Amino acid sequence: MKLVCFWLRRKLSPYLDGEIPSLKAEKIKAHLEHCPECQTKLEELQGLGRHLRQIQTPQPSPHLWENVLKRGQSRVFREDPGRDRRFLTLFRPRLALPLLIMGAFIALMVMLIPELSFLRQYSLIVNQAQAIDIGLYLDELKKGPSARTFDQKHQAFTTSADQARRKCHFGVVIPASLPGGYRLVQTKLLKSLCCFATQNDYRSGENIIYVFELPPQHPIDFGRRELIRKMMNGLWYNQIKAENLQVMNWEGSDVNLTLVGNLLEEELLKILKYLTQGKPGQFHSYSQQKGGE
Amino acid sequence: MEEISPSMHLIESANYRTGCLLEKELIQRCQRGDQEAFREVFKRYQHKIFRLCYHFAGDGSDAEEITQEIFLKMYLSIGQFDLRSGFYTWLFRIAVNECLQHRRKKAARKVPLDERALSLSVRETLPLDSLLSHEKQAQVQKALEKLPGKYRLALLLKEIEGLSYREIARIFGVSEGTVASRLNRAREQFRRVYQKEVRES
């Protein structure tokens, strides 16, 4: 067998099917005219194709459709296939990515937009954690000029004499007998001011809540800085009348805290009314109790 | 030779377009779960599918079973069919996969080859003139059955259905070059096996 014939016989099949470029087909045709062996081979292949096409195919059973129905009855026709398919289309790859991106966008919006904070249920926990930090900070302040302070940036306590000059604006004594206890006020404070610390008096069972000044660059702000400034400059606690409230005297302490004890009763009620969002009854009872003592 | 006028071409083209549109509409109805549309699709394609299955399996009852399964699978997965691609190719892809799967199941059951070749029910339905060449047909069918499944299907799609290499490539999900080589080998193998069958008989 010649080399040309060897090469050509591999191309006979596509040549027979008309799937060879015209230029090559012309060359093969020219060769076939002069090569009886290759010509026989081609006829052989053509004959096989004819044999295949001559196989008679019987008619399918007239009940084929019924049989398809019967086969599928248990699997398909009892349900609404359209509905199922519409549901399944959600999982198509071309829809999955846009849905994922949309989900990520909504999550980002919830995180960033303050108005959507109601969707962030965990924000209170974060605030509580920060409030605990402030409590620790206050405790540290009481230790003196060399007190360590909690550094938000490095998430650690650092020593700084400047930090010891923070001002505490006022303190509120919450008696143990108050309905709801100090935790209620603490929660309200958390929601409104977000800058307080608590101290527990183990002997009397009373709890003192300190509201104090925020450092200029303090990360805890939540838009309440302005409110605190108003409280500081206003008349709420300038006119001191020490009757019903316990005076918190920290003068013996090394820390230079401006104590704001002896608030006027009505001023305190005003603050507490604000803090408790319209539930001053509990503080009335406190006031009455105090007054009764 | 009678020359076809340009208007004839236009009519043919319009008919072709209408046919395409109707088929698209039919498929859309199938996708909405319309059983009547499904029956219409079944009517259109049942003979082609059955023919392929029959030549592949070499047995009428097997061919019917495979055909039923193919149309059932078509109904179940028609929601995933993209209307921009060819329905014919898509349906034949299901058919090819189903045929290969059937062959695997059959091989696991190990049914003797002679029992499968041209069952009685098929012989009864054959026309009289074809019964004369029945022996020859049985030889061709036997030789065909000895080919590997993919070769057999490629050969059937080319010789019986008359599909182009491009269409076969789409059905199998391979390149046209692979189809060409597969067909070349299939023909060569088929020629050898057929000659052996003839000699033995």
Side-chain angles (χ1 to χ4, degrees), chain A residues 9-239:
Chain A
R9 282 181 197 179
R10 289 171 60 204
K11 299 285 172 191
L12 274 183
S13 173
Y15 173 74
L16 194 68
D17 298 327
E19 299 271 356
I20 288 251
S22 55
L23 205 65
K24 272 188 184 174
E26 284 297 320
K27 281 183 185 174
I28 293 170
K29 195 180 173 185
H31 175 82
L32 286 169
E33 280 171 7
H34 302 288
C35 183
E37 283 177 19
C38 289
Q39 184 66 37
T40 314
K41 190 86 180 170
L42 180 72
E43 281 165 11
E44 215 173 69
L45 288 180
Q46 281 171 332
L48 287 172
R50 257 197 315 276
H51 286 327
L52 273 175
R53 283 189 294 274
Q54 275 172 0
I55 300 177
Q56 296 289 323
T57 313
Q59 285 294 312
S61 156
H63 307 295
L64 192 59
W65 168 248
E66 281 75 21
N67 291 340
V68 174
L69 284 183
K70 211 180 285 175
R71 187 182 275 258
Q73 212 161 20
S74 57
R75 278 194 273 171
V76 187
F77 299 121
R78 278 181 192 167
E79 299 157 12
D80 174 14
R83 188 185 55 196
D84 291 346
R85 265 185 236 111
R86 276 196 295 278
F87 174 70
L88 285 172
T89 50
L90 277 177
F91 298 100
R92 281 189 192 173
R94 61 180 173 178
L95 279 178
L97 190 65
L99 283 175
L100 196 70
I101 292 168
M102 200 187 293
F105 180 74
I106 290 168
L108 196 69
M109 286 297 104
V110 168
M111 292 291 287
L112 294 179
I113 299 173
E115 282 74 18
L116 295 174
S117 62
F118 65 94
L119 293 171
R120 285 181 273 141
Q121 292 297 326
Y122 57 85
S123 63
L124 190 67
I125 299 165
V126 173
N127 292 350
Q128 272 178 338
Q130 285 169 337
I132 290 164
D133 289 341
I134 295 167
L136 291 170
Y137 169 57
L138 193 69
D139 288 343
E140 288 294 317
L141 284 179
K142 283 157 72 179
K143 288 177 185 171
S146 62
R148 291 179 303 151
T149 54
F150 188 76
D151 187 347
Q152 286 286 338
K153 192 179 173 186
H154 299 98
Q155 292 289 303
F157 283 97
T158 53
T159 306
S160 166
D162 291 340
Q163 295 291 326
R165 284 192 280 275
R166 295 275 166 253
K167 288 179 179 178
C168 180
H169 299 311
F170 60 89
V172 182
V173 180
I174 309 292
S177 56
L178 177 74
Y182 78 98
R183 288 189 186 280
L184 180 78
V185 183
Q186 191 179 9
T187 311
K188 297 295 176 186
L189 276 167
L190 197 67
K191 283 184 177 173
S192 57
L193 296 172
C194 301
C195 54
F196 68 95
T198 59
Q199 195 181 38
N200 186 272
D201 188 337
Y202 294 105
R203 287 169 298 179
S204 65
E206 289 176 335
N207 294 280
I208 307 166
I209 295 182
Y210 305 100
V211 178
F212 56 98
E213 184 188 14
L214 286 171
Q217 299 300 322
H218 201 280
I220 307 166
D221 188 325
F222 305 108
R224 307 296 181 187
R225 197 187 297 276
E226 192 57 33
L227 176 73
I228 294 162
R229 195 172 291 122
K230 277 182 188 170
M231 289 174 77
M232 280 168 70
N233 298 331
L235 296 172
W236 282 6
Y237 48 87
N238 282 347
Q239 304 296 320

Side-chain angles (χ1 to χ4, degrees), chain B residues 144-161:
Chain B
L144 197 60
E145 280 185 37
K146 282 179 183 171
L147 293 184
K150 283 180 183 175
Y151 287 3
R152 201 190 313 174
L153 281 166
L155 201 58
L156 290 172
L157 289 173
K158 182 70 224 170
E159 294 291 355
I160 311 283
E161 299 302 325

Side-chain angles (χ1 to χ4, degrees), chain A residues 247-260:
Chain A
V247 177
M248 292 173 289
N249 187 359
W250 282 12
E251 282 170 354
S253 160
D254 294 327
V255 184
N256 184 20
L257 289 170
T258 307
L259 299 178
V260 197

